[in-house]
Amino acid sequence: MHPIFIIELLITSGGLLTIVMIAVIFKGKWRKRFLGVAAMYLVIVSLFFLARPYWIDFQQDRKVKYLEIYLKAKYSEETWTMEKVPHREEGFAHLNPYVISVYFNTEPGVIYEYYIKNGNEISQSGYGVEEGSIPEMIHLERE
């Protein structure tokens, strides 16, 4: 389990515990109201945790389309492959799911990473080089 997920669970559990503690203090109709609020809070938090992976997938697909348009405009003569972070698989939870890796066919052994903030704000956030290769870095974008 990733530390960020544990922190999120602790914060949401603390909120639920606070609402339940307030419900214990009150009596009568107020207790029932606060217990109802606690139940609604639990349902909303559960829906959030269930829907978030699908939301990340949706956002990744949108960002890949934006990056595809950007790369076609900037490197029209090039061919490339893209890879998204498999955020649902074990071992990848520490990576930003909104960073997309691009492998240009003319430059093997180099991975360029792009971050798409909005549809129009695309920046190269990093790169990686395979061990033992000395690339030219022809696709490196300097600001």
Side-chain angles (χ1 to χ4, degrees):
M1 198 176 295
H2 195 267
I4 291 175
F5 184 69
I6 294 171
I7 292 169
E8 290 170 345
L9 282 177
L10 287 173
I11 289 171
T12 55
S13 299
L16 181 63
L17 185 64
T18 302
I19 295 170
V20 170
M21 295 283 284
I22 292 171
V24 169
I25 293 171
F26 288 108
K27 295 183 187 222
K29 67 178 180 179
W30 286 103
R31 178 176 290 176
K32 288 181 183 178
R33 287 181 181 170
F34 274 104
L35 288 176
V37 168
M40 283 184 7
Y41 180 82
L42 186 61
V43 167
I44 290 169
V45 167
S46 299
L47 286 174
F48 169 76
F49 282 117
L50 288 173
R52 185 168 56 174
Y54 300 104
W55 177 252
I56 291 173
D57 287 342
F58 174 73
Q59 292 293 319
Q60 279 182 332
D61 292 339
R62 267 190 35 210
K63 290 175 188 291
V64 164
K65 290 176 186 172
Y66 290 137
L67 183 59
E68 187 87 25
I69 293 167
Y70 173 79
L71 292 175
K72 281 182 183 176
K74 188 151 185 153
Y75 305 109
S76 60
E77 302 296 319
E78 296 277 345
T79 56
W80 57 81
T81 56
M82 289 190 228
E83 237 180 58
K84 301 182 289 186
V85 173
H87 63 96
R88 293 186 194 197
E89 294 179 18
E90 190 67 33
F92 291 96
H94 69 286
L95 298 175
N96 185 348
Y98 300 116
V99 173
I100 300 166
S101 301
V102 177
Y103 303 88
F104 289 97
N105 293 342
T106 58
E107 197 172 8
V110 181
I111 305 165
Y112 292 99
E113 295 178 340
Y114 288 88
Y115 178 73
I116 299 94
K117 188 171 185 178
N118 296 325
N120 57 356
E121 294 182 43
I122 298 173
S123 62
Q124 198 175 69
S125 62
Y127 62 90
V129 179
E130 285 183 5
E131 189 174 335
S133 65
I134 304 171
E136 296 178 31
M137 306 298 289
I138 55 177
H139 300 98
L140 186 63
E141 298 174 11
R142 294 203 164 84
E143 294 183 30

PDB file of all heavy atoms in Angstrom, residues 85-110:
ATOM      1  N   VAL A  85       1.737   5.474 -17.593  1.00  0.00           N
ATOM      2  CA  VAL A  85       2.086   4.818 -16.339  1.00  0.00           C
ATOM      3  C   VAL A  85       0.962   3.853 -15.978  1.00  0.00           C
ATOM      4  O   VAL A  85      -0.196   4.269 -15.870  1.00  0.00           O
ATOM      5  CB  VAL A  85       2.291   5.858 -15.214  1.00  0.00           C
ATOM      6  CG1 VAL A  85       2.477   5.171 -13.872  1.00  0.00           C
ATOM      7  CG2 VAL A  85       3.462   6.753 -15.520  1.00  0.00           C
ATOM      8  N   PRO A  86       1.275   2.569 -15.796  1.00  0.00           N
ATOM      9  CA  PRO A  86       0.225   1.623 -15.394  1.00  0.00           C
ATOM     10  C   PRO A  86      -0.058   1.767 -13.891  1.00  0.00           C
ATOM     11  O   PRO A  86       0.392   0.960 -13.078  1.00  0.00           O
ATOM     12  CB  PRO A  86       0.828   0.258 -15.745  1.00  0.00           C
ATOM     13  CG  PRO A  86       2.298   0.482 -15.707  1.00  0.00           C
ATOM     14  CD  PRO A  86       2.530   1.912 -16.065  1.00  0.00           C
ATOM     15  N   HIS A  87      -0.785   2.801 -13.532  1.00  0.00           N
ATOM     16  CA  HIS A  87      -0.959   3.187 -12.132  1.00  0.00           C
ATOM     17  C   HIS A  87      -1.707   2.155 -11.297  1.00  0.00           C
ATOM     18  O   HIS A  87      -1.652   2.193 -10.081  1.00  0.00           O
ATOM     19  CB  HIS A  87      -1.665   4.545 -12.041  1.00  0.00           C
ATOM     20  CG  HIS A  87      -3.052   4.539 -12.594  1.00  0.00           C
ATOM     21  ND1 HIS A  87      -4.153   4.374 -11.820  1.00  0.00           N
ATOM     22  CD2 HIS A  87      -3.504   4.664 -13.864  1.00  0.00           C
ATOM     23  CE1 HIS A  87      -5.233   4.401 -12.578  1.00  0.00           C
ATOM     24  NE2 HIS A  87      -4.863   4.579 -13.835  1.00  0.00           N
ATOM     25  N   ARG A  88      -2.398   1.217 -11.927  1.00  0.00           N
ATOM     26  CA  ARG A  88      -3.128   0.194 -11.169  1.00  0.00           C
ATOM     27  C   ARG A  88      -2.264  -1.017 -10.835  1.00  0.00           C
ATOM     28  O   ARG A  88      -2.667  -1.855 -10.045  1.00  0.00           O
ATOM     29  CB  ARG A  88      -4.337  -0.278 -11.961  1.00  0.00           C
ATOM     30  CG  ARG A  88      -5.378   0.781 -12.132  1.00  0.00           C
ATOM     31  CD  ARG A  88      -6.571   0.180 -12.779  1.00  0.00           C
ATOM     32  NE  ARG A  88      -7.472   1.187 -13.261  1.00  0.00           N
ATOM     33  CZ  ARG A  88      -8.716   0.944 -13.562  1.00  0.00           C
ATOM     34  NH1 ARG A  88      -9.204  -0.256 -13.445  1.00  0.00           N
ATOM     35  NH2 ARG A  88      -9.488   1.908 -14.001  1.00  0.00           N
ATOM     36  N   GLU A  89      -1.105  -1.126 -11.446  1.00  0.00           N
ATOM     37  CA  GLU A  89      -0.236  -2.265 -11.209  1.00  0.00           C
ATOM     38  C   GLU A  89       0.684  -1.998 -10.031  1.00  0.00           C
ATOM     39  O   GLU A  89       1.096  -0.866  -9.787  1.00  0.00           O
ATOM     40  CB  GLU A  89       0.606  -2.566 -12.459  1.00  0.00           C
ATOM     41  CG  GLU A  89      -0.212  -3.031 -13.635  1.00  0.00           C
ATOM     42  CD  GLU A  89       0.641  -3.295 -14.862  1.00  0.00           C
ATOM     43  OE1 GLU A  89       1.883  -3.443 -14.714  1.00  0.00           O
ATOM     44  OE2 GLU A  89       0.079  -3.342 -15.964  1.00  0.00           O
ATOM     45  N   GLU A  90       1.022  -3.053  -9.335  1.00  0.00           N
ATOM     46  CA  GLU A  90       1.918  -2.967  -8.191  1.00  0.00           C
ATOM     47  C   GLU A  90       3.293  -2.511  -8.669  1.00  0.00           C
ATOM     48  O   GLU A  90       3.801  -2.964  -9.692  1.00  0.00           O
ATOM     49  CB  GLU A  90       2.033  -4.343  -7.527  1.00  0.00           C
ATOM     50  CG  GLU A  90       2.747  -4.323  -6.200  1.00  0.00           C
ATOM     51  CD  GLU A  90       1.981  -3.590  -5.124  1.00  0.00           C
ATOM     52  OE1 GLU A  90       0.747  -3.629  -5.126  1.00  0.00           O
ATOM     53  OE2 GLU A  90       2.635  -2.967  -4.266  1.00  0.00           O
ATOM     54  N   GLY A  91       3.904  -1.604  -7.943  1.00  0.00           N
ATOM     55  CA  GLY A  91       5.237  -1.130  -8.291  1.00  0.00           C
ATOM     56  C   GLY A  91       5.257   0.158  -9.085  1.00  0.00           C
ATOM     57  O   GLY A  91       6.312   0.718  -9.318  1.00  0.00           O
ATOM     58  N   PHE A  92       4.096   0.641  -9.513  1.00  0.00           N
ATOM     59  CA  PHE A  92       4.050   1.875 -10.286  1.00  0.00           C
ATOM     60  C   PHE A  92       3.293   2.983  -9.556  1.00  0.00           C
ATOM     61  O   PHE A  92       3.086   4.045 -10.116  1.00  0.00           O
ATOM     62  CB  PHE A  92       3.387   1.626 -11.651  1.00  0.00           C
ATOM     63  CG  PHE A  92       4.219   0.788 -12.560  1.00  0.00           C
ATOM     64  CD1 PHE A  92       4.006  -0.580 -12.646  1.00  0.00           C
ATOM     65  CD2 PHE A  92       5.225   1.347 -13.316  1.00  0.00           C
ATOM     66  CE1 PHE A  92       4.774  -1.363 -13.479  1.00  0.00           C
ATOM     67  CE2 PHE A  92       6.001   0.572 -14.160  1.00  0.00           C
ATOM     68  CZ  PHE A  92       5.771  -0.782 -14.231  1.00  0.00           C
ATOM     69  N   ALA A  93       2.862   2.732  -8.339  1.00  0.00           N
ATOM     70  CA  ALA A  93       2.038   3.707  -7.623  1.00  0.00           C
ATOM     71  C   ALA A  93       2.806   4.979  -7.288  1.00  0.00           C
ATOM     72  O   ALA A  93       2.209   6.021  -7.082  1.00  0.00           O
ATOM     73  CB  ALA A  93       1.480   3.086  -6.348  1.00  0.00           C
ATOM     74  N   HIS A  94       4.125   4.913  -7.235  1.00  0.00           N
ATOM     75  CA  HIS A  94       4.913   6.088  -6.879  1.00  0.00           C
ATOM     76  C   HIS A  94       5.117   7.039  -8.056  1.00  0.00           C
ATOM     77  O   HIS A  94       5.591   8.152  -7.880  1.00  0.00           O
ATOM     78  CB  HIS A  94       6.272   5.656  -6.336  1.00  0.00           C
ATOM     79  CG  HIS A  94       7.161   5.052  -7.367  1.00  0.00           C
ATOM     80  ND1 HIS A  94       6.948   3.783  -7.866  1.00  0.00           N
ATOM     81  CD2 HIS A  94       8.243   5.531  -8.021  1.00  0.00           C
ATOM     82  CE1 HIS A  94       7.870   3.509  -8.771  1.00  0.00           C
ATOM     83  NE2 HIS A  94       8.663   4.550  -8.891  1.00  0.00           N
ATOM     84  N   LEU A  95       4.751   6.609  -9.259  1.00  0.00           N
ATOM     85  CA  LEU A  95       4.942   7.441 -10.442  1.00  0.00           C
ATOM     86  C   LEU A  95       3.727   8.311 -10.708  1.00  0.00           C
ATOM     87  O   LEU A  95       2.603   7.940 -10.399  1.00  0.00           O
ATOM     88  CB  LEU A  95       5.205   6.559 -11.664  1.00  0.00           C
ATOM     89  CG  LEU A  95       6.458   5.698 -11.602  1.00  0.00           C
ATOM     90  CD1 LEU A  95       6.528   4.791 -12.819  1.00  0.00           C
ATOM     91  CD2 LEU A  95       7.708   6.547 -11.515  1.00  0.00           C
ATOM     92  N   ASN A  96       3.972   9.463 -11.304  1.00  0.00           N
ATOM     93  CA  ASN A  96       2.890  10.374 -11.670  1.00  0.00           C
ATOM     94  C   ASN A  96       2.147   9.790 -12.872  1.00  0.00           C
ATOM     95  O   ASN A  96       2.738   9.624 -13.937  1.00  0.00           O
ATOM     96  CB  ASN A  96       3.473  11.741 -12.022  1.00  0.00           C
ATOM     97  CG  ASN A  96       2.423  12.780 -12.309  1.00  0.00           C
ATOM     98  OD1 ASN A  96       1.245  12.468 -12.461  1.00  0.00           O
ATOM     99  ND2 ASN A  96       2.850  14.032 -12.371  1.00  0.00           N
ATOM    100  N   PRO A  97       0.857   9.482 -12.722  1.00  0.00           N
ATOM    101  CA  PRO A  97       0.140   8.872 -13.842  1.00  0.00           C
ATOM    102  C   PRO A  97      -0.122   9.825 -14.993  1.00  0.00           C
ATOM    103  O   PRO A  97      -0.574   9.407 -16.051  1.00  0.00           O
ATOM    104  CB  PRO A  97      -1.171   8.410 -13.214  1.00  0.00           C
ATOM    105  CG  PRO A  97      -1.362   9.291 -12.041  1.00  0.00           C
ATOM    106  CD  PRO A  97       0.013   9.621 -11.540  1.00  0.00           C
ATOM    107  N   TYR A  98       0.163  11.100 -14.811  1.00  0.00           N
ATOM    108  CA  TYR A  98      -0.092  12.075 -15.862  1.00  0.00           C
ATOM    109  C   TYR A  98       1.150  12.389 -16.692  1.00  0.00           C
ATOM    110  O   TYR A  98       1.117  13.256 -17.549  1.00  0.00           O
ATOM    111  CB  TYR A  98      -0.675  13.350 -15.264  1.00  0.00           C
ATOM    112  CG  TYR A  98      -1.972  13.091 -14.544  1.00  0.00           C
ATOM    113  CD1 TYR A  98      -2.089  13.289 -13.186  1.00  0.00           C
ATOM    114  CD2 TYR A  98      -3.079  12.598 -15.233  1.00  0.00           C
ATOM    115  CE1 TYR A  98      -3.277  13.025 -12.530  1.00  0.00           C
ATOM    116  CE2 TYR A  98      -4.266  12.326 -14.585  1.00  0.00           C
ATOM    117  CZ  TYR A  98      -4.359  12.551 -13.237  1.00  0.00           C
ATOM    118  OH  TYR A  98      -5.533  12.276 -12.589  1.00  0.00           O
ATOM    119  N   VAL A  99       2.249  11.711 -16.434  1.00  0.00           N
ATOM    120  CA  VAL A  99       3.455  11.850 -17.246  1.00  0.00           C
ATOM    121  C   VAL A  99       3.444  10.731 -18.280  1.00  0.00           C
ATOM    122  O   VAL A  99       3.258   9.567 -17.953  1.00  0.00           O
ATOM    123  CB  VAL A  99       4.723  11.778 -16.373  1.00  0.00           C
ATOM    124  CG1 VAL A  99       5.969  11.739 -17.239  1.00  0.00           C
ATOM    125  CG2 VAL A  99       4.782  12.964 -15.430  1.00  0.00           C
ATOM    126  N   ILE A 100       3.645  11.096 -19.532  1.00  0.00           N
ATOM    127  CA  ILE A 100       3.595  10.130 -20.629  1.00  0.00           C
ATOM    128  C   ILE A 100       4.994   9.996 -21.223  1.00  0.00           C
ATOM    129  O   ILE A 100       5.639  10.988 -21.551  1.00  0.00           O
ATOM    130  CB  ILE A 100       2.580  10.579 -21.698  1.00  0.00           C
ATOM    131  CG1 ILE A 100       1.200  10.671 -21.055  1.00  0.00           C
ATOM    132  CG2 ILE A 100       2.575   9.625 -22.881  1.00  0.00           C
ATOM    133  CD1 ILE A 100       0.188  11.411 -21.868  1.00  0.00           C
ATOM    134  N   SER A 101       5.449   8.768 -21.360  1.00  0.00           N
ATOM    135  CA  SER A 101       6.773   8.486 -21.922  1.00  0.00           C
ATOM    136  C   SER A 101       6.668   8.333 -23.430  1.00  0.00           C
ATOM    137  O   SER A 101       5.749   7.685 -23.929  1.00  0.00           O
ATOM    138  CB  SER A 101       7.347   7.210 -21.317  1.00  0.00           C
ATOM    139  OG  SER A 101       7.463   7.330 -19.921  1.00  0.00           O
ATOM    140  N   VAL A 102       7.631   8.909 -24.141  1.00  0.00           N
ATOM    141  CA  VAL A 102       7.657   8.843 -25.598  1.00  0.00           C
ATOM    142  C   VAL A 102       9.004   8.279 -26.024  1.00  0.00           C
ATOM    143  O   VAL A 102      10.055   8.718 -25.561  1.00  0.00           O
ATOM    144  CB  VAL A 102       7.439  10.239 -26.230  1.00  0.00           C
ATOM    145  CG1 VAL A 102       7.541  10.167 -27.741  1.00  0.00           C
ATOM    146  CG2 VAL A 102       6.110  10.816 -25.803  1.00  0.00           C
ATOM    147  N   TYR A 103       8.947   7.284 -26.911  1.00  0.00           N
ATOM    148  CA  TYR A 103      10.134   6.674 -27.490  1.00  0.00           C
ATOM    149  C   TYR A 103      10.141   7.004 -28.978  1.00  0.00           C
ATOM    150  O   TYR A 103       9.284   6.535 -29.716  1.00  0.00           O
ATOM    151  CB  TYR A 103      10.100   5.151 -27.313  1.00  0.00           C
ATOM    152  CG  TYR A 103       9.975   4.694 -25.888  1.00  0.00           C
ATOM    153  CD1 TYR A 103       8.725   4.528 -25.297  1.00  0.00           C
ATOM    154  CD2 TYR A 103      11.101   4.425 -25.132  1.00  0.00           C
ATOM    155  CE1 TYR A 103       8.605   4.114 -23.986  1.00  0.00           C
ATOM    156  CE2 TYR A 103      10.991   4.003 -23.817  1.00  0.00           C
ATOM    157  CZ  TYR A 103       9.738   3.846 -23.253  1.00  0.00           C
ATOM    158  OH  TYR A 103       9.630   3.435 -21.955  1.00  0.00           O
ATOM    159  N   PHE A 104      11.116   7.806 -29.415  1.00  0.00           N
ATOM    160  CA  PHE A 104      11.238   8.136 -30.831  1.00  0.00           C
ATOM    161  C   PHE A 104      12.010   7.025 -31.531  1.00  0.00           C
ATOM    162  O   PHE A 104      13.037   6.557 -31.027  1.00  0.00           O
ATOM    163  CB  PHE A 104      11.948   9.479 -31.016  1.00  0.00           C
ATOM    164  CG  PHE A 104      11.125  10.652 -30.593  1.00  0.00           C
ATOM    165  CD1 PHE A 104      11.281  11.215 -29.335  1.00  0.00           C
ATOM    166  CD2 PHE A 104      10.186  11.193 -31.454  1.00  0.00           C
ATOM    167  CE1 PHE A 104      10.515  12.294 -28.948  1.00  0.00           C
ATOM    168  CE2 PHE A 104       9.425  12.284 -31.077  1.00  0.00           C
ATOM    169  CZ  PHE A 104       9.581  12.828 -29.812  1.00  0.00           C
ATOM    170  N   ASN A 105      11.536   6.611 -32.698  1.00  0.00           N
ATOM    171  CA  ASN A 105      12.176   5.527 -33.434  1.00  0.00           C
ATOM    172  C   ASN A 105      13.542   5.917 -33.975  1.00  0.00           C
ATOM    173  O   ASN A 105      14.397   5.058 -34.196  1.00  0.00           O
ATOM    174  CB  ASN A 105      11.273   5.041 -34.571  1.00  0.00           C
ATOM    175  CG  ASN A 105      10.021   4.372 -34.042  1.00  0.00           C
ATOM    176  OD1 ASN A 105       9.952   3.971 -32.875  1.00  0.00           O
ATOM    177  ND2 ASN A 105       9.019   4.248 -34.886  1.00  0.00           N
ATOM    178  N   THR A 106      13.770   7.196 -34.207  1.00  0.00           N
ATOM    179  CA  THR A 106      15.066   7.648 -34.719  1.00  0.00           C
ATOM    180  C   THR A 106      16.114   7.781 -33.621  1.00  0.00           C
ATOM    181  O   THR A 106      17.279   8.012 -33.927  1.00  0.00           O
ATOM    182  CB  THR A 106      14.918   9.011 -35.420  1.00  0.00           C
ATOM    183  OG1 THR A 106      14.371   9.947 -34.489  1.00  0.00           O
ATOM    184  CG2 THR A 106      14.052   8.899 -36.657  1.00  0.00           C
ATOM    185  N   GLU A 107      15.702   7.650 -32.389  1.00  0.00           N
ATOM    186  CA  GLU A 107      16.622   7.802 -31.263  1.00  0.00           C
ATOM    187  C   GLU A 107      16.395   6.676 -30.247  1.00  0.00           C
ATOM    188  O   GLU A 107      15.818   6.886 -29.193  1.00  0.00           O
ATOM    189  CB  GLU A 107      16.416   9.177 -30.620  1.00  0.00           C
ATOM    190  CG  GLU A 107      17.545   9.597 -29.750  1.00  0.00           C
ATOM    191  CD  GLU A 107      17.392  11.038 -29.299  1.00  0.00           C
ATOM    192  OE1 GLU A 107      16.356  11.661 -29.531  1.00  0.00           O
ATOM    193  OE2 GLU A 107      18.346  11.519 -28.691  1.00  0.00           O
ATOM    194  N   PRO A 108      16.860   5.469 -30.581  1.00  0.00           N
ATOM    195  CA  PRO A 108      16.644   4.349 -29.663  1.00  0.00           C
ATOM    196  C   PRO A 108      17.475   4.508 -28.390  1.00  0.00           C
ATOM    197  O   PRO A 108      18.550   5.103 -28.399  1.00  0.00           O
ATOM    198  CB  PRO A 108      17.097   3.130 -30.472  1.00  0.00           C
ATOM    199  CG  PRO A 108      18.024   3.667 -31.490  1.00  0.00           C
ATOM    200  CD  PRO A 108      17.578   5.069 -31.782  1.00  0.00           C
ATOM    201  N   GLY A 109      16.944   3.998 -27.323  1.00  0.00           N
ATOM    202  CA  GLY A 109      17.650   4.054 -26.049  1.00  0.00           C
ATOM    203  C   GLY A 109      17.369   5.298 -25.235  1.00  0.00           C
ATOM    204  O   GLY A 109      17.950   5.488 -24.175  1.00  0.00           O
ATOM    205  N   VAL A 110      16.493   6.176 -25.716  1.00  0.00           N
ATOM    206  CA  VAL A 110      16.172   7.402 -24.994  1.00  0.00           C
ATOM    207  C   VAL A 110      14.667   7.471 -24.771  1.00  0.00           C
ATOM    208  O   VAL A 110      13.880   7.204 -25.670  1.00  0.00           O
ATOM    209  CB  VAL A 110      16.637   8.663 -25.765  1.00  0.00           C
ATOM    210  CG1 VAL A 110      16.323   9.921 -24.984  1.00  0.00           C
ATOM    211  CG2 VAL A 110      18.109   8.584 -26.066  1.00  0.00           C
TER     212      VAL A 110
END
